[in-house]
Amino acid sequence: MILGIGSDLANIDRIAGTLDRFGDRFRNRVFTDIEQLKAEKRADVAGTYAKRWAAKEACSKALGTGLRMGISWRDMAVSNLPTGQPVMAVTGWAAQRLAEMTPPGHDAIIHVTLTDDHPWAQAFVVIEARPRPAPAS
């Protein structure tokens, strides 16, 4: 069952300008250490940050809160599987909100997809509640 859907579109040039203007202050407020390491290794640093910004916005929308009610930017983190597939992990208040919206007997799974076509970066997040398997008898 779908618990939440969120999408966001971010302007890569706007994120690049914010990085130039605020530097580490912006990076450290919004992005986890792992996200920063990933972005700084990429040829398109601003595009990588913009996709992750969009993913955090989309995730907050899928959680039904937006960026309010105590959710911190760093409570939502994008990483990649060895295949390159992006995955979203939540901690802090975002994890608490996810637990509250997940029905008993279900596990929440956050699906995320990212794309960019300069000057735009886009993310979609779908939160699914998957029933836990019945115990073997």
Side-chain angles (χ1 to χ4, degrees):
M1 117 184 37
I2 303 299
L3 298 178
I5 299 171
S7 69
D8 193 66
L9 186 66
N11 185 290
I12 296 169
D13 294 332
R14 180 175 156 253
I15 297 296
T18 302
L19 288 164
D20 289 343
R21 186 170 176 199
F22 297 105
D24 285 342
R25 186 171 145 214
F26 171 66
R27 282 183 198 90
N28 294 331
R29 181 174 159 250
V30 176
F31 302 101
T32 66
D33 294 343
I34 292 170
E35 289 172 316
Q36 291 180 48
L37 286 170
K38 181 77 164 184
E40 297 299 328
K41 289 180 183 177
R42 294 273 177 94
D44 184 9
V45 172
T48 302
Y49 279 122
K51 285 185 281 190
R52 279 149 178 76
W53 171 280
K56 291 167 185 273
E57 287 274 7
C59 184
S60 71
K61 292 171 186 175
L63 289 167
T65 63
L67 284 159
R68 58 186 179 96
M69 297 175 62
I71 290 181
S72 163
W73 287 102
R74 291 173 59 102
D75 284 348
M76 300 166 286
V78 177
S79 61
N80 296 85
L81 297 176
T83 60
Q85 176 185 347
V87 292
M88 175 73 71
V90 293
T91 58
W93 200 93
Q96 180 181 337
R97 170 68 181 147
L98 182 61
E100 289 169 359
M101 56 190 289
T102 304
H106 290 71
D107 292 317
I109 296 147
I110 302 174
H111 304 277
V112 60
T113 186
L114 308 171
T115 191
D116 65 292
D117 187 6
H118 197 90
W120 301 108
Q122 185 175 36
F124 286 96
V125 170
V126 176
I127 301 175
E128 172 190 8
R130 193 174 290 168
R132 289 188 195 118
S137 46

